[in-house]
PDB file of all heavy atoms in Angstrom:
ATOM      1  N   GLU H 433       5.080 -45.274  39.013  1.00  0.00           N
ATOM      2  CA  GLU H 433       3.996 -45.040  38.048  1.00  0.00           C
ATOM      3  C   GLU H 433       4.477 -44.419  36.739  1.00  0.00           C
ATOM      4  O   GLU H 433       4.103 -44.867  35.675  1.00  0.00           O
ATOM      5  CB  GLU H 433       2.919 -44.155  38.686  1.00  0.00           C
ATOM      6  CG  GLU H 433       2.089 -44.956  39.682  1.00  0.00           C
ATOM      7  CD  GLU H 433       1.038 -44.134  40.383  1.00  0.00           C
ATOM      8  OE1 GLU H 433       1.208 -42.900  40.459  1.00  0.00           O
ATOM      9  OE2 GLU H 433       0.055 -44.732  40.854  1.00  0.00           O
ATOM     10  N   ARG H 434       5.307 -43.370  36.858  1.00  0.00           N
ATOM     11  CA  ARG H 434       5.768 -42.694  35.639  1.00  0.00           C
ATOM     12  C   ARG H 434       7.255 -42.408  35.737  1.00  0.00           C
ATOM     13  O   ARG H 434       7.774 -42.141  36.809  1.00  0.00           O
ATOM     14  CB  ARG H 434       5.041 -41.365  35.470  1.00  0.00           C
ATOM     15  CG  ARG H 434       3.586 -41.506  35.107  1.00  0.00           C
ATOM     16  CD  ARG H 434       2.948 -40.116  34.922  1.00  0.00           C
ATOM     17  NE  ARG H 434       3.518 -39.412  33.788  1.00  0.00           N
ATOM     18  CZ  ARG H 434       3.329 -38.104  33.551  1.00  0.00           C
ATOM     19  NH1 ARG H 434       2.616 -37.382  34.378  1.00  0.00           N
ATOM     20  NH2 ARG H 434       3.863 -37.536  32.488  1.00  0.00           N
ATOM     21  N   GLY H 435       7.927 -42.451  34.585  1.00  0.00           N
ATOM     22  CA  GLY H 435       9.362 -42.165  34.581  1.00  0.00           C
ATOM     23  C   GLY H 435       9.664 -40.840  33.889  1.00  0.00           C
ATOM     24  O   GLY H 435       8.957 -40.446  32.954  1.00  0.00           O
ATOM     25  N   PHE H 436      10.704 -40.170  34.382  1.00  0.00           N
ATOM     26  CA  PHE H 436      11.163 -38.913  33.774  1.00  0.00           C
ATOM     27  C   PHE H 436      12.682 -39.003  33.645  1.00  0.00           C
ATOM     28  O   PHE H 436      13.290 -39.963  34.115  1.00  0.00           O
ATOM     29  CB  PHE H 436      10.813 -37.721  34.670  1.00  0.00           C
ATOM     30  CG  PHE H 436       9.328 -37.606  34.931  1.00  0.00           C
ATOM     31  CD1 PHE H 436       8.748 -38.273  36.009  1.00  0.00           C
ATOM     32  CD2 PHE H 436       8.519 -36.854  34.093  1.00  0.00           C
ATOM     33  CE1 PHE H 436       7.383 -38.190  36.242  1.00  0.00           C
ATOM     34  CE2 PHE H 436       7.160 -36.758  34.331  1.00  0.00           C
ATOM     35  CZ  PHE H 436       6.584 -37.423  35.408  1.00  0.00           C
ATOM     36  N   ARG H 437      13.271 -37.977  33.072  1.00  0.00           N
ATOM     37  CA  ARG H 437      14.728 -37.974  32.956  1.00  0.00           C
ATOM     38  C   ARG H 437      15.377 -37.994  34.347  1.00  0.00           C
ATOM     39  O   ARG H 437      16.359 -38.664  34.592  1.00  0.00           O
ATOM     40  CB  ARG H 437      15.178 -36.721  32.198  1.00  0.00           C
ATOM     41  CG  ARG H 437      16.596 -36.790  31.680  1.00  0.00           C
ATOM     42  CD  ARG H 437      16.920 -35.532  30.913  1.00  0.00           C
ATOM     43  NE  ARG H 437      16.871 -34.366  31.799  1.00  0.00           N
ATOM     44  CZ  ARG H 437      17.894 -33.936  32.515  1.00  0.00           C
ATOM     45  NH1 ARG H 437      19.047 -34.549  32.440  1.00  0.00           N
ATOM     46  NH2 ARG H 437      17.780 -32.888  33.310  1.00  0.00           N
ATOM     47  N   TRP H 438      14.769 -37.271  35.277  1.00  0.00           N
ATOM     48  CA  TRP H 438      15.358 -37.146  36.610  1.00  0.00           C
ATOM     49  C   TRP H 438      15.083 -38.341  37.520  1.00  0.00           C
ATOM     50  O   TRP H 438      15.724 -38.510  38.542  1.00  0.00           O
ATOM     51  CB  TRP H 438      14.852 -35.867  37.302  1.00  0.00           C
ATOM     52  CG  TRP H 438      13.342 -35.748  37.347  1.00  0.00           C
ATOM     53  CD1 TRP H 438      12.563 -35.046  36.469  1.00  0.00           C
ATOM     54  CD2 TRP H 438      12.436 -36.358  38.288  1.00  0.00           C
ATOM     55  NE1 TRP H 438      11.232 -35.181  36.806  1.00  0.00           N
ATOM     56  CE2 TRP H 438      11.118 -35.979  37.912  1.00  0.00           C
ATOM     57  CE3 TRP H 438      12.598 -37.195  39.398  1.00  0.00           C
ATOM     58  CZ2 TRP H 438       9.980 -36.401  38.601  1.00  0.00           C
ATOM     59  CZ3 TRP H 438      11.463 -37.621  40.085  1.00  0.00           C
ATOM     60  CH2 TRP H 438      10.170 -37.222  39.681  1.00  0.00           C
ATOM     61  N   GLY H 439      14.089 -39.164  37.180  1.00  0.00           N
ATOM     62  CA  GLY H 439      13.768 -40.279  38.068  1.00  0.00           C
ATOM     63  C   GLY H 439      12.335 -40.753  37.881  1.00  0.00           C
ATOM     64  O   GLY H 439      11.809 -40.722  36.768  1.00  0.00           O
ATOM     65  N   VAL H 440      11.728 -41.159  38.988  1.00  0.00           N
ATOM     66  CA  VAL H 440      10.460 -41.878  38.911  1.00  0.00           C
ATOM     67  C   VAL H 440       9.434 -41.223  39.833  1.00  0.00           C
ATOM     68  O   VAL H 440       9.776 -40.800  40.939  1.00  0.00           O
ATOM     69  CB  VAL H 440      10.683 -43.342  39.378  1.00  0.00           C
ATOM     70  CG1 VAL H 440       9.365 -44.093  39.527  1.00  0.00           C
ATOM     71  CG2 VAL H 440      11.606 -44.078  38.418  1.00  0.00           C
ATOM     72  N   GLN H 441       8.185 -41.151  39.361  1.00  0.00           N
ATOM     73  CA  GLN H 441       7.111 -40.727  40.245  1.00  0.00           C
ATOM     74  C   GLN H 441       6.274 -41.954  40.585  1.00  0.00           C
ATOM     75  O   GLN H 441       6.021 -42.786  39.718  1.00  0.00           O
ATOM     76  CB  GLN H 441       6.240 -39.699  39.538  1.00  0.00           C
ATOM     77  CG  GLN H 441       5.474 -38.833  40.500  1.00  0.00           C
ATOM     78  CD  GLN H 441       4.762 -37.729  39.769  1.00  0.00           C
ATOM     79  OE1 GLN H 441       3.828 -37.999  39.031  1.00  0.00           O
ATOM     80  NE2 GLN H 441       5.216 -36.515  39.956  1.00  0.00           N
ATOM     81  N   GLY H 442       5.877 -42.057  41.839  1.00  0.00           N
ATOM     82  CA  GLY H 442       5.147 -43.257  42.225  1.00  0.00           C
ATOM     83  C   GLY H 442       4.116 -42.987  43.289  1.00  0.00           C
ATOM     84  O   GLY H 442       3.841 -41.843  43.645  1.00  0.00           O
ATOM     85  N   GLN H 443       3.548 -44.098  43.789  1.00  0.00           N
ATOM     86  CA  GLN H 443       2.525 -43.984  44.814  1.00  0.00           C
ATOM     87  C   GLN H 443       2.988 -44.712  46.069  1.00  0.00           C
ATOM     88  O   GLN H 443       3.412 -45.871  46.002  1.00  0.00           O
ATOM     89  CB  GLN H 443       1.233 -44.600  44.288  1.00  0.00           C
ATOM     90  CG  GLN H 443       0.065 -44.190  45.142  1.00  0.00           C
ATOM     91  CD  GLN H 443      -1.226 -44.813  44.651  1.00  0.00           C
ATOM     92  OE1 GLN H 443      -1.236 -45.662  43.763  1.00  0.00           O
ATOM     93  NE2 GLN H 443      -2.322 -44.404  45.267  1.00  0.00           N
ATOM     94  N   PHE H 444       2.862 -44.015  47.189  1.00  0.00           N
ATOM     95  CA  PHE H 444       3.246 -44.603  48.467  1.00  0.00           C
ATOM     96  C   PHE H 444       2.331 -45.788  48.781  1.00  0.00           C
ATOM     97  O   PHE H 444       1.115 -45.673  48.687  1.00  0.00           O
ATOM     98  CB  PHE H 444       3.119 -43.529  49.561  1.00  0.00           C
ATOM     99  CG  PHE H 444       3.362 -44.052  50.945  1.00  0.00           C
ATOM    100  CD1 PHE H 444       4.649 -44.190  51.430  1.00  0.00           C
ATOM    101  CD2 PHE H 444       2.293 -44.405  51.761  1.00  0.00           C
ATOM    102  CE1 PHE H 444       4.868 -44.676  52.708  1.00  0.00           C
ATOM    103  CE2 PHE H 444       2.501 -44.897  53.041  1.00  0.00           C
ATOM    104  CZ  PHE H 444       3.795 -45.037  53.516  1.00  0.00           C
TER     105      PHE H 444
END
Side-chain angles (χ1 to χ4, degrees):
E433 285 178 337
R434 289 181 65 193
F436 301 89
R437 196 178 64 88
W438 54 263
V440 171
Q441 202 173 68
Q443 195 181 8
F444 175 83

